[in-house]
Amino acid sequence: MSTAREQPIFSTRAHVFQIDPATKRNWIPAGKHALTVSYFYDATRNVYRIISIGGAKAIINSTVTPNMTFTKTSQKFGQWADSRANTVYGLGFASEQHLTQFAEKFQEVKEAARLAREKSQDGGELTSPALGLASHQVPPSPLVSANGPGEEKLFRSQSADAPGPTERERLKKMLSEGSVGEVQWEAEFFALQDSNNKLAGALREANAAAAQWRQQLEAQRAEAERLRQRVAELEAQAASEVTPASEKEGPGQGQSLEQLEALVQTKDQEIQTLKSQTGGPREAPEAAEREETQQKVQDLETRNTELEHQLRAMERSLEEARAERERARAEVGRAAQLLDVRLFELSELREGLARLAEAAP
């Protein structure tokens, strides 16, 4: 390619693919990275080409003709068939916008190639009468097949035998374009399969996370139930320890507490009675009786307060007695353990003396 003769008119970057010539189904990537794909215009020959260079070789060298069609197979992938190169090119773009720009430029270049061909055909008619006659009798090569094989033979002259290779190229193009539909469906199928795999992976991850959360919830419930049972056991144990302790209290203390409580209740009742009497309707009470009643009320309240103090003192003494009993119980337990140790040592000493006595002559 001569850089002085051809100039780039549009460039972009894309991942380049070529159809597998063996299967006509699978895509073969041209490289691991995106390459620069450019449209070039040759002013001398009045042709447009799509060129992409990878390293030291041309990955794409496709001359755009009016018969070519660029097809969008997905949001970021497009392809076209080149009958001259007998292959199908595919481009994967970074975004849908880049794909749209390339497709629009392809349409512009395709239209320019069509106009250039028509212009060249008109010029051929003016410069060569023989070729002009042939061109009037035979439609342009891309449209020859529309008249059928029989009519083509009738209007073909001896000098028009050259389009034979063009006919073969068009047949190849038709065959390749026949496989383009399958390739498009296959590309769509692969895209859907990839999406399905991603969704299946996300669903598996969500199910695994849900199962893990379920296990953690069950573990927390089991732990809460265990703690609840432990609290109930501790409460039952505390109640069972308090009941025997209260049963083992001295009869004098229990009786005195009951008497004090009964006396407090009685005094409270008397206070309430006196208050109701003093607060109710009175029929001209005398001042002495009122003062006497108030004095009794004050005395009863004072006595009630003293009884409450005595009750609190008795409760404190009861708590101290319980604590002392617990300490005595602990001392007894330690003494019992010490006694067991001494008995064990004594039994060992006795056995040792017995063995010595048996061993003596």
Side-chain angles (χ1 to χ4, degrees), residues 137-138 144 149 151-164 167 170:
Q137 293 176 348
V138 182
V144 168
E151 295 183 6
E152 180 186 357
K153 292 179 180 179
L154 290 175
F155 291 100
R156 180 174 299 171
S157 63
Q158 186 68 23
S159 61
D161 291 337
E167 182 68 20
R170 284 192 290 105

Side-chain angles (χ1 to χ4, degrees), residues 272-282 293:
Q272 294 298 329
T273 303
L274 290 173
K275 285 183 177 180
S276 63
Q277 290 177 357
T278 57
R282 294 169 297 184
T293 302

Side-chain angles (χ1 to χ4, degrees), residues 230-281:
R230 181 60 180 168
V231 169
E233 291 176 359
L234 292 175
E235 290 178 352
Q237 184 178 359
S240 63
E241 289 179 356
V242 170
T243 302
S246 61
E247 291 177 355
K248 293 180 181 179
E249 294 291 336
Q253 293 180 352
Q255 186 176 3
S256 61
L257 286 174
E258 293 176 358
Q259 290 176 357
L260 289 173
E261 291 177 354
L263 184 59
V264 168
Q265 292 177 359
T266 304
K267 297 301 180 182
D268 287 337
Q269 291 177 359
E270 291 179 0
I271 290 172
Q272 294 298 329
T273 303
L274 290 173
K275 285 183 177 180
S276 63
Q277 290 177 357
T278 57

Side-chain angles (χ1 to χ4, degrees), residues 249 253 315-327:
E249 294 291 336
Q253 293 180 352
E315 289 177 351
R316 285 195 297 270
S317 63
L318 179 60
E319 292 295 332
E320 292 175 356
R322 287 178 180 175
E324 186 66 25
R325 186 173 61 255
E326 291 295 332
R327 287 194 294 272

Side-chain angles (χ1 to χ4, degrees), residues 30 52 54-55 59 76 113 116 128 151 157 189 295 316-317 351:
S52 177
I59 304 299
K76 300 180 182 181
S128 176
E151 295 183 6
S157 63
F189 173 74
Q295 185 64 33
R316 285 195 297 270
S317 63
E351 291 177 359

